[in-house]
Amino acid sequence: MLVIFHQPKNGAADMSFMVTKSAGPCGATVSGLDLSARLSKKTIAALRQTWLEHKVLAFPDQAMANTDLEKFTRYFGDFGDDPYFEPIDGHDHIAAICRRADETVPVFAEVWHTDWSFQKVPPAGTCLYGITIPPVGGQTLFIDQQKALNEMPHELRARIEGKWAIHSARGGYAPDGAYGEREKDSDRSMKIIYSQDAYATQAHPFIRQHPETREETLYGILGYIIAVQDMPQEQAKQLLADLYQWQTREQFQYVQKWSANMLLMWDNRSVLHSASGGYDGFDRLLHRTTIAAPDDASC
């Protein structure tokens, strides 16, 4: 797909860009844009529609400073709140997703999730810019949750229809969580903050209407989801396990390979994602920002 605009004017670039759809259920590569330039409202609007359609967009070969990453993020909304990441120096809304070649702790976020689903108004999207990329491993995996819902067996859908899931950050970011006190003396280079606040809970429906596309999507997964509202825990555990087995099927997955100077953005409202390892012995560094959802986007 080729999107064509007029020549640059008034200091903001109206640019043409090419969209190449992935072979998976979601994901596309965008080429022909210089994201360090200031984009016009027309170009941004076209990018937003492309993002909503494909859910995950990769922009290879982008030379971006931290200020460029911040500028790009703000095209799509305010900065989201990243409560458990320590920002990099001088940039309050950028977190370093990093790992040294000699680290021995588990790879960060190597589980399926959607970012910060435990918040009252979870973020709309995430941007991740590749700086130091290993020659092997380190892919980011995605699951199209609209497709997972559309193809869900009627019996399973009936079990979640109208029900609300209880989300919490406690498994990861509470003092006794995976990134809590047990890692205090570890060799992890990524700056993660744990807090008592992680024990808080927030309810969201299993099936949500996307606020922009109006399409129904499945939202959340076992991990951040710790219970089901008004359901006995043993019954809830079985439901969450059955749901996990369905929504993580390979037929719904897309694998994004990284290259240096690639920007990746995804829609947290319609996909799950997971980091992957396989690059022991190599440094890895990416810079991340979060795109906030509008204040009126809560369930």
Side-chain angles (χ1 to χ4, degrees):
M1 176 172 64
L2 178 63
V3 183
I4 302 176
F5 297 111
H6 302 296
Q7 294 298 312
K9 57 185 177 180
N10 299 327
D14 284 341
M15 298 181 182
S16 65
F17 59 87
M18 180 75 75
V19 181
T20 305
K21 188 183 183 304
S22 79
C26 61
T29 298
V30 178
S31 55
L33 288 176
D34 177 3
L35 300 186
S36 67
R38 186 161 65 90
L39 304 181
S40 70
K41 291 182 179 180
K42 189 174 183 180
T43 303
I44 295 165
L47 277 178
R48 188 176 203 99
Q49 288 305 308
T50 303
W51 179 44
L52 293 174
E53 177 183 354
H54 297 286
K55 304 178 179 69
V56 182
L57 295 183
F59 301 82
D61 303 319
Q62 298 292 330
M64 300 178 72
N66 288 326
T67 51
D68 297 323
L69 177 58
E70 292 168 328
K71 176 180 62 181
F72 181 84
T73 305
R74 290 288 286 111
Y75 289 150
F76 298 93
D78 292 333
F79 289 115
D81 177 27
D82 291 320
Y84 302 112
F85 294 159
E86 184 177 312
I88 64 173
D89 291 342
H91 297 273
D92 291 344
H93 301 289
I94 297 179
I97 310 300
C98 57
R99 184 177 175 86
R100 293 190 323 273
D102 60 350
E103 281 188 38
T104 59
V105 291
V107 171
F108 174 73
E110 203 173 15
V111 293
W112 291 112
H113 64 287
T114 183
D115 287 332
W116 305 155
S117 67
F118 49 81
Q119 293 179 334
K120 181 179 180 181
V121 184
T126 301
C127 296
L128 200 57
Y129 180 64
I131 299 171
T132 303
I133 302 300
V136 294
Q139 298 94 336
T140 302
L141 288 64
F142 294 92
I143 308 179
D144 186 331
Q145 291 300 278
Q146 182 181 334
K147 183 176 177 65
L149 180 63
N150 289 343
E151 298 181 14
M152 182 178 290
H154 294 302
E155 180 273 336
L156 181 56
R157 177 163 179 150
R159 292 167 66 191
I160 63 171
E161 195 84 50
K163 291 186 172 60
W164 288 56
I166 308 300
H167 297 243
S168 175
R170 64 186 60 184
Y173 303 103
D176 58 353
Y179 305 114
E181 291 179 351
R182 72 182 73 173
E183 284 210 340
K184 186 166 52 177
D185 298 319
S186 75
D187 63 349
R188 187 179 296 280
S189 57
M190 186 174 166
K191 305 301 182 184
I192 300 175
I193 303 166
Y194 63 87
S195 169
Q196 293 283 342
D197 294 343
Y199 291 116
T201 60
Q202 179 64 49
H204 297 294
F206 280 103
I207 299 173
R208 305 199 313 172
Q209 188 180 66
H210 192 290
E212 294 185 73
T213 68
R214 315 314 296 178
E215 298 285 347
E216 284 189 331
T217 62
L218 189 59
Y219 187 71
I221 193 167
L222 182 67
Y224 279 155
I225 296 179
I226 62 170
V228 180
Q229 198 170 70
D230 302 323
M231 182 178 287
Q233 190 64 5
E234 286 305 311
Q235 184 180 346
K237 285 181 180 179
Q238 187 60 59
L239 174 58
L240 292 172
D242 292 345
L243 189 60
Y244 183 95
Q245 290 298 318
W246 173 259
Q247 68 189 132
T248 59
R249 288 188 171 202
E250 189 173 346
Q251 70 204 65
F252 308 133
Q253 294 184 25
Y254 164 65
V255 179
Q256 177 65 57
K257 295 183 178 180
W258 280 93
S259 58
N261 299 325
M262 173 181 284
L263 176 71
L264 193 65
M265 68 181 300
W266 62 86
D267 188 338
N268 280 298
R269 301 162 295 186
S270 56
V271 297
L272 299 171
H273 64 281
S274 172
S276 63
Y279 53 92
D280 288 349
F282 295 97
D283 292 332
R284 188 171 186 263
L285 172 63
L286 304 97
H287 280 180
R288 167 187 153 141
T289 57
T290 303
I291 305 168
D295 290 338
D296 60 355
S298 59
C299 299

